[in-house]
Amino acid sequence: MKKIITYSLLEKNINSDQYYSDVKLLADETLNHEEKILGQVIDEFTKYVSANSIETLRSREEYMLEALIVGVLWNVYGNNAKALTKIQGKILVNLVALRKKGKAIKLSADLVRGFSSTIFLNKKSTNELEISILGLKKLQGWILASGEFNEEWRRILNWENYFSSLTESKLENVFNLLIHYGIWFQSRSETIVGKYTINVQQFLKNQKNVYRFSEDIIFTGRKRTEYHLNMVGAEILNRAFRNDFLKTKKKKLLIPICMRDKPSNICKARNTKDGYICGHCTKECRVNKLSEMGKKHGFEVLIIPHGSSAFTDGKVKYGEIGIVGVACLLNLISGGLAARRLNLVPQCVILDYCGCKKHWDSEGIITDINVKELKKIILASHSE
Ligand code: SF4
């Protein structure tokens, strides 16, 4: 039995098949419920995007997911956002920028960032965030300062513009719908997929002490409803990009380093400009098996040391390259959105459980995926 740190898609089963059928049900219910209560808002937002030439229109499911993200993040972080001052936000945003300037500076920036995040971002106001454009800007400020939701922040910018075009009473009405939708999602998702995240609750009891002053205090402190949001988000994004993905000529499978059977000093993977390629040193290694599958079915398999190194610089035309990202739950929505922003056509498969050394386990747990699900996604002949 694998050690469960936060979530496990296996629950008590030998594989995660049941999870994949549960999450489909939750995604259907989530979209149907949203259509009922927020359908008109989605219509109006879509019209706004089109009339103002903000971007080439995306699918309805993508915009519906964005509205869900706003509702959930508002409920989870609204009080934190209310407590964050402008100057604290600025300090954190600068630290996030600084850590991208190279390894040497990253270490020092992360030290200060861990300290500042613990003090500034975890603080909660006893007052609710006010429903107004100012309130949304405050939430956006907190999101940006955390450095954990950059893609979500970008997508919410369009909503911020749309909300600015509404009258005060209409804005209040729409926001109340979003907030209630977020509350509905929290409760409904717990009923349907909560069995896969029971350990998160236990994990969070000690998290603030264990990760105090650590750079990943916000990442590891994500709430159960955010795990569920990522579950549904991954399913919705997979549906939204399915047809475009099937049409791509080149397909890549991106695997996290925690799936390797051997540690770095033994693993024979070779570094290339796009990522590491398996050196086939161990027959039982899951990465080796997937690389063999890739050779047979014509997709490239790359090991990616960290999520931030997963994608190229966007100099491809949308529709040319399809990627299947394998990642732990909390990285799924941001990974999918980043891939789309960089003109890649994303699909994703969730690690059945998490266990990387960087965030979750000092020893490191070798992770795995549901290969049946991967085949359904990456092999066109397996698609429904
Ligand atoms: S089989 Fe490949 S990925 Fe696995 S440990 Fe060996 S070289 Fe690394």
Side-chain angles (χ1 to χ4, degrees), residues 93-103 105-106 109-110 147 150 154 308:
V93 168
N94 286 336
L95 287 168
V96 173
L98 212 58
R99 74 191 300 266
K100 290 177 185 150
K101 295 203 164 153
K103 248 187 181 173
I105 205 154
K106 183 176 180 290
D110 279 350
N150 292 344
R154 282 174 201 270
S308 58

Side-chain angles (χ1 to χ4, degrees), residues 259-263 266-269 277-283 285-288 291 303:
M259 278 185 79
R260 289 181 315 183
D261 207 63
K262 303 285 178 220
I266 301 176
C267 168
K268 295 279 182 284
I277 293 177
C278 176
H280 310 289
C281 73
T282 308
K283 228 175 152 195
C285 178
R286 175 61 87 201
V287 180
N288 183 29
S291 301
I303 309 163

